[in-house]
Amino acid sequence: MPRVRPRSLRLRLTLVVTLAVGLALTVASFVLVNSMSNTLFGGMADAAALQVDKVADALEHGQPLPPEDPSAATLIRVEDQTGKVVASVPETGAKAVADRPVPAGRTRATEATADDIPPAKDFEIVPARTVSTPQGEARTVRAISRSGQITQSIDLVVNSLLVAAPVLTVFVGWLTWFAVDRALRPIEAVRRRAEAISHSTLDERLPEQDTGDEVGRLTRTLNRMLDRIASGARRQREFVSDASHELRTPLAAMRAELEVSLAHRGNADWRNVATRLLDDHRRLERLTGDLLTLARLDEAAVSRRAEPVQLDEIVAGEIGAVRHAEVRPALTPVRVTGVVPELVRLVRNLLDNADKHAAGVVAVHLRRDGRQVVFTVEDDGPGVPPDQRERVFDRFFRVDGSRDRASGGVGLGLALVRRIARSHGGDVTITASPTLGGALFEVRLPTP
């Protein structure tokens, strides 16, 4: 049996259900007894009133009294002007009155008067009726309750409820505790398993039960969440590893350059050394800038200043950075809402990527398509294989797998392009250029 905790859900549910059932049984018992009493005594009163009317009518017209009904719960008593009982229906009632012991100081003639206190549980239940007989004598007809059997029935029901209601309440409480315990047992197993999962054991999963209930759906949802967390942690580790590698490479080259130059101070060309160190510094600066930009874009809580931007002016300003290929622009004035430095980085990265891989021509187009702005950059280079067109947007991914300085870049440019496009409500895709034969990058952004 599980240990009882003062604030456990199991205990709270059991107490709530038990108290609710106990209160419901109390109210139901009260209503039952009250309804039963009203029904039985009400029926007896109606029957008594009818019987009084029959006896009174018979006396008034000089007819015989109605036939006796020994099982009736009412005694009809006929009294004269002095209060003496002269007849009763049924006769057993008259005989009982006649046989009643006479109290001290009273006579048989005055014993059965209207002032007599009836036996316990016997009382007059309807108003008496006084009539005159054909002989001119006044007779009073009274209905006296003989409710002993009814009262006993009601008492029996009350006593039964006093025993059954608490027993049933306790049973419902125990049953609730058992049912809640069985229902929470899978959740407790999930909790214990989840407590054992840490950053080093993210590959473990919670036990799933094919029950189709809320617990099963919760477990599946938590496992999917763990999948996402594990995937994010794996990407983070890869990102840190790749970033460390990319940072270490230029640092190692700079150190080697300096060590060789210092070892041969007399023969070192310090101007060329400074130039190469400056190139490596620029590479480091760009890499760290890309990493910081990606980190900022991944942080959803960072506020970003979006404003109306003439995208065609940004594209026209960045075209001049293309050094090795002929640029064929076709720009339409369009406006978008975005962050200027991020849009500049998006355009620059796409143009740099096309310039590195183009054989000689880069085509740049900017147009409006309904409620979207379409920006395309295509080249006449080797293109991107279809099975790698999504992977080129992964961080540090290179189609040829190279990492040398001659190839330029470290594989963050296109990842930044996609992240910036999506942060502005758009996206970027890559296909084969139908005119130049190389790669075609298409960016779609919403218009204001």
Side-chain angles (χ1 to χ4, degrees), residues 162-206:
L162 288 176
V163 175
V167 171
L168 183 59
T169 301
V170 173
F171 174 75
V172 169
W174 175 84
L175 187 63
T176 303
W177 175 274
F178 177 77
V180 173
D181 178 65
R182 292 296 298 270
L184 294 180
R185 195 171 296 172
I187 298 180
E188 179 63 20
V190 170
R191 186 198 65 80
R192 288 196 300 267
R193 186 67 175 273
E195 191 175 21
I197 297 177
S198 63
H199 68 281
S200 60
T201 57
L202 285 178
D203 292 335
E204 295 185 10
R205 290 298 176 265
L206 303 176

Side-chain angles (χ1 to χ4, degrees), residues 328-379:
R328 298 175 182 176
L331 309 180
T332 301
V334 293
R335 175 175 290 189
V336 298
T337 300
V339 182
V340 175
E342 295 177 5
L343 293 176
V344 170
R345 179 64 63 87
L346 180 148
V347 174
R348 182 182 301 166
N349 287 357
L350 285 179
L351 292 176
D352 285 348
N353 180 76
D355 191 25
K356 293 170 187 174
H357 296 91
V361 179
V362 173
V364 181
H365 298 85
L366 182 63
R367 59 185 174 85
R368 182 187 295 271
D369 184 13
R371 298 185 60 85
Q372 289 184 324
V373 170
V374 181
F375 172 56
T376 60
V377 178
E378 52 187 319
D379 59 69

Side-chain angles (χ1 to χ4, degrees), residues 2 51 61 78 81 91 134 143 148 163 192 376 388 390 409 412 436-437:
Q51 191 71 8
H61 295 89
V78 180
Q81 294 179 347
E91 285 296 333
V163 175
R192 288 196 300 267
T376 60
Q388 295 183 343
E390 278 299 312
L412 289 178
L436 300 180

Side-chain angles (χ1 to χ4, degrees), residues 122-354:
D122 286 356
F123 51 89
E124 188 171 346
I125 57 176
V126 294
R129 180 178 174 183
T130 302
V131 297
S132 297
T133 64
Q135 293 79 19
E137 298 174 341
R139 295 288 185 265
T140 300
V141 182
R142 301 180 186 276
I144 305 300
S145 165
R146 297 189 301 177
S147 58
Q149 185 176 2
I150 295 178
T151 305
Q152 290 177 359
S153 300
I154 295 176
D155 290 343
L156 178 62
V157 172
V158 171
N159 294 331
S160 300
L161 290 175
L162 288 176
V163 175
V167 171
L168 183 59
T169 301
V170 173
F171 174 75
V172 169
W174 175 84
L175 187 63
T176 303
W177 175 274
F178 177 77
V180 173
D181 178 65
R182 292 296 298 270
L184 294 180
R185 195 171 296 172
I187 298 180
E188 179 63 20
V190 170
R191 186 198 65 80
R192 288 196 300 267
R193 186 67 175 273
E195 191 175 21
I197 297 177
S198 63
H199 68 281
S200 60
T201 57
L202 285 178
D203 292 335
E204 295 185 10
R205 290 298 176 265
L206 303 176
E208 293 189 15
Q209 298 182 1
D210 191 14
T211 56
D213 57 6
E214 289 80 0
V215 177
R217 293 195 296 271
L218 174 63
T219 306
R220 288 191 294 273
T221 301
L222 292 176
N223 279 334
R224 287 195 294 268
M225 181 188 70
L226 288 174
D227 290 338
R228 294 191 296 270
I229 293 176
S231 177
R234 183 171 56 255
R235 289 196 303 269
Q236 185 179 27
R237 289 193 297 269
E238 294 173 354
F239 179 79
V240 171
S241 175
D242 291 338
S244 301
H245 173 78
E246 294 299 334
L247 289 171
R248 186 170 59 247
T249 300
L251 288 174
M254 294 170 68
R255 180 176 179 177
E257 188 77 31
L258 289 172
E259 288 178 348
V260 171
S261 299
L262 289 174
H264 305 83
R265 296 182 183 182
N267 299 325
D269 187 350
W270 291 104
R271 180 179 295 275
N272 290 334
V273 170
T275 301
R276 288 192 292 270
L277 290 178
L278 184 60
D279 290 340
D280 287 331
H281 179 272
R282 290 196 183 104
R283 186 183 182 194
L284 277 175
E285 184 179 21
R286 182 165 184 174
L287 174 59
T288 55
D290 289 345
L291 291 175
L292 289 174
T293 302
L294 281 172
R296 184 170 56 84
L297 290 173
D298 288 339
E299 181 57 56
V302 174
S303 60
R304 303 164 63 247
R305 294 183 178 180
E307 56 184 347
V309 180
Q310 285 295 138
L311 188 58
D312 56 294
E313 296 179 1
I314 293 178
V315 175
E318 294 297 322
I319 285 178
V322 178
R323 303 294 185 185
H324 305 94
E326 175 191 354
V327 181
R328 298 175 182 176
L331 309 180
T332 301
V334 293
R335 175 175 290 189
V336 298
T337 300
V339 182
V340 175
E342 295 177 5
L343 293 176
V344 170
R345 179 64 63 87
L346 180 148
V347 174
R348 182 182 301 166
N349 287 357
L350 285 179
L351 292 176
D352 285 348
N353 180 76

